[in-house]
Amino acid sequence: MTRISGRIVRPGAVVPGHVEVDGPAILAVTEDARHAGDDVIVPGFVDLHCHGGGGHSFTTGDAAAARGAAAFHLGHGTTTMLASLVSSPFELMRDAVAAFRPLVAAGVLAGVHFEGPYLSGARCGAQNPEFLRDPSVDELGALIKLAEGTVRLVTIAPELPGALDAISFLRDHGVLAAVGHTDASYEQARAGVEAGATVGTHLFNGMRPIHHREPGPVIALLDTPPAVCELIADNIHLHPGALAFAARAAGPDRTMLVTDAMDAAGMADGEYDLGGQAVVVADRVARLARNGSIAGSTLTMDAALRNTVAAGIPLPDAVAMASTTPARLLGRGDEIGALEAGLRADLVVLSKDLEVKRVMRAGAWQ
């Protein structure tokens, strides 16, 4: 049995005590002020939107690269993650599903997220416009059949022809649908949620901006349960004030932190690639070489947690956004995402400044 002592972050509270681990599971969580120390213990982070890191990319569908990216983010406390691809030809989507399926079976990944290609050309951001197309139930059906449970999330612009049917199709087949990269009106975005979408892809970014006479998708997603809004807390995609506003408006049960990281995360400034497009990273900011659009991030989940707390969100709420809420959304809240007896022993030991000291996954130190 392993005992980890410190300040334990649980729903709505931070308490001194111990987490006792037996094998791959949490045996007990005990409150005890004696000898607890200054370390902060949080559940392992759950990142549902990540394109790569540590010099490795998910976007090419290469299994070895996927292992490298997952290992990099594990070192920063992410114990569960989806591999996010960008808009691509169907053949690459199909091949990526086949390549990543064994990694999902092995627990390296929790599944695949297709961020595109069913996106708005007007709000495509760093997505390659060459590969954008209207949603296809036939394509999605073929991918889901091949995936055998590997495809977990698909981002769709709800105003596109066939989008609502595609969202409903995903819902009916146990796949999360997200509203994102969209020029939708308020009504169109709400229609997407009503059709079955439960995620807002990187809220504010790649979306029609808010206007007081046309609120657009941002207000629709914040104000329409059960949609959970992704927030990229890198202080680049979102001003800290916008992050705090969204987190307070929807609450920690309906907002979650994501990295949207690309392979440059953890790497030096320089030239990189995202979905076949050249990206230049300077001072942590990744932008397309051709037009300067922000192209993913160089964020890690531990930094996202620190930035969220610095923006004024209480630590228990920030931890819920980084762990508990995305675990629940993924349908795995009874297994991961919290420090509770019986759950998998995924946890991160942080310093008092919220810097990663140690990471445990399924009871094993990484």
Side-chain angles (χ1 to χ4, degrees):
M1 185 182 74
T2 302
R3 172 179 284 188
I4 305 103
S5 300
R7 292 184 292 149
I8 302 166
V9 181
R10 306 183 79 180
V14 181
V15 297
H18 315 287
V19 178
E20 296 179 358
V21 174
D22 187 15
I26 296 173
L27 179 64
V29 179
T30 306
E31 294 187 24
D32 183 357
R34 297 169 299 174
H35 312 299
D38 292 330
D39 286 348
V40 178
I41 307 171
V42 302
F45 305 132
V46 180
D47 188 1
L48 303 190
H49 188 159
C50 180
H51 300 287
H56 309 284
S57 179
F58 293 128
T59 63
T60 60
D62 181 80
R67 282 187 178 276
F72 167 78
H73 285 285
L74 180 60
H76 288 271
T78 299
T79 52
T80 301
M81 70 186 316
L82 297 185
S84 299
L85 280 82
V86 292
S87 296
S88 309
F90 175 75
E91 291 75 18
L92 193 155
M93 299 169 73
R94 179 197 61 205
D95 293 348
V97 165
F100 292 166
R101 192 172 58 202
L103 300 184
V104 175
V108 176
L109 300 173
V112 171
H113 164 215
F114 288 117
E115 188 186 11
Y118 315 124
L119 311 176
S120 164
R123 302 290 176 186
C124 65
Q127 299 281 333
N128 192 331
E130 178 183 348
F131 301 129
L132 299 183
R133 52 194 184 272
D134 290 340
S136 167
V137 169
D138 288 342
E139 281 191 358
L140 290 170
L143 291 169
I144 290 170
K145 182 177 180 180
L146 173 66
E148 298 178 354
T150 296
V151 176
R152 297 307 313 275
L153 175 63
V154 180
T155 299
I156 295 178
E159 72 274 19
L160 296 179
L164 300 185
D165 287 342
I167 289 170
S168 296
F169 179 83
L170 291 169
R171 176 201 60 201
D172 293 345
H173 286 79
V175 178
L176 297 169
V179 170
H181 284 282
T182 174
D183 199 39
S185 67
Y186 175 84
E187 290 77 14
Q188 288 171 323
R190 283 185 64 98
V193 177
E194 290 165 2
T198 54
V199 181
T201 295
H202 47 49
L203 193 74
F204 295 101
N205 298 110
M207 293 183 179
R208 179 189 292 201
I210 297 170
H211 188 280
H212 56 285
R213 285 190 292 272
E214 170 43 77
V218 174
I219 298 297
L221 290 164
L222 284 173
D223 199 39
T224 310
V228 176
C229 300
E230 296 180 354
L231 300 171
I232 307 174
D234 62 353
N235 298 335
I236 297 164
H237 283 79
L238 294 177
H239 185 282
L243 169 72
F245 165 77
R248 291 175 180 138
D253 292 337
R254 290 191 48 242
T255 49
M256 64 179 175
L257 303 182
V258 297
T259 62
D260 195 20
M262 44 103 61
D263 59 350
M267 305 296 287
D269 286 355
E271 297 182 0
Y272 294 87
D273 178 272
L274 182 66
Q277 299 186 99
V279 174
V280 177
V281 177
D283 193 23
R284 300 186 303 112
V285 183
R287 295 185 181 275
L288 286 186
R290 63 178 174 85
N291 63 8
S293 291
I294 296 177
S297 84
T298 58
L299 186 65
T300 54
M301 285 293 281
D302 58 319
L305 181 72
R306 291 191 293 272
N307 290 340
T308 302
V309 172
I313 301 303
L315 179 59
D317 289 352
V319 168
M321 294 162 62
S323 304
T324 312
T325 297
R328 172 182 53 79
L329 184 67
L330 198 59
R332 297 180 63 182
D334 60 349
E335 178 192 356
I336 59 174
L339 299 177
E340 302 290 347
L343 300 193
R344 197 172 77 184
D346 291 358
L347 59 85
V348 187
V349 179
L350 304 169
S351 70
K352 63 181 179 179
D353 298 321
L354 305 182
E355 298 282 348
V356 173
K357 296 179 70 173
R358 299 187 79 182
V359 178
M360 175 179 283
R361 186 176 188 275
W365 293 112
Q366 303 301 303

